[in-house]
Amino acid sequence: MKRILVMHGVNLNMFGKRDPKHYGTETLEDINKKISMLAETLGVEVTFFQSNHEGDFVEKIQEVHGDGTDGIIINAGAWTHYSYAIMDALAILHIPAVEVHMSNVHAREPFRHFSVLSGVTRGSIAGFGADSYLLGLRAVVDLLEGE
Ligand code: DQA
């Protein structure tokens, strides 16, 4: 069974308390449950990781080398827009990573329009709330099936 790691970055543990206009009202736990349900339907295994510490996030990406993970879904939160450290960590990987965002970052403040991660991920999905993760999961599974 293919193994997919879902990575949630800084402040994403606060979903449910953040501005509902951008992030809805679901908690991270609710979102993870939805992802797990779809994973079961698609016949893949998902694990989750959330951190507010950039170094821990980078170390988790480094751990993926050789631990049997087949693909990554990543929402790096605000790090998306400036973390060259996370970009460099992702660039070393040989497995597909798909970037997701709950909000439509392109319709928000200018600093959110640019992702330093987009150049090292296979594609990005933004603006569909929790469904962005579900679309991301489908995208990773499709990529793995095409290999
Ligand atoms: C986010 C968008 C980022 O700009 C923001 O900093 C977040 C969440 C999203 O899921 O829409 O924390 O990644």
Side-chain angles (χ1 to χ4, degrees):
M1 197 183 269
K2 296 288 186 191
R3 288 173 54 185
I4 294 158
L5 172 65
V6 182
M7 300 195 71
H8 304 289
V10 63
N11 288 314
L12 304 195
N13 57 315
M14 300 305 280
F15 282 147
K17 296 191 177 72
R18 297 183 71 178
D19 186 346
K21 186 172 91 209
H22 295 302
Y23 305 116
T25 54
E26 287 169 298
T27 64
L28 190 60
E29 208 189 328
D30 296 333
I31 294 167
N32 286 347
K33 270 190 204 141
K34 281 187 171 176
I35 300 169
S36 293
M37 279 171 64
L38 179 62
E40 218 179 297
T41 308
L42 297 176
V44 295
E45 187 187 319
V46 278
T47 53
F48 301 96
F49 179 80
Q50 192 277 327
S51 181
N52 295 315
H53 303 278
E54 191 178 9
D56 290 347
F57 208 72
V58 166
E59 280 183 359
K60 185 68 186 176
I61 296 169
Q62 292 179 359
E63 272 174 28
V64 162
H65 289 274
D67 80 349
T69 301
D70 296 293
I72 292 183
I73 296 165
I74 183 167
N75 182 353
W79 289 327
T80 303
H81 312 298
Y82 65 87
S83 177
Y84 299 119
I86 293 171
M87 178 192 76
D88 281 351
L90 287 172
I92 306 167
L93 293 178
H94 301 294
I95 58 171
V98 171
E99 178 183 350
V100 303
H101 298 284
M102 295 271 279
S103 65
N104 180 1
V105 282
H106 304 289
R108 299 182 64 190
E109 305 95 312
F111 80 88
R112 296 187 204 273
H113 298 180
F114 185 71
S115 164
V116 298
L117 309 182
S118 291
V120 292
T121 56
R122 294 287 287 270
S124 58
I125 297 160
F128 301 101
D131 283 351
S132 291
Y133 284 97
L134 304 181
L135 293 166
L137 180 59
R138 288 184 187 280
V140 172
V141 171
D142 280 358
L143 286 168
L144 293 173
E145 279 171 1
E147 274 177 0

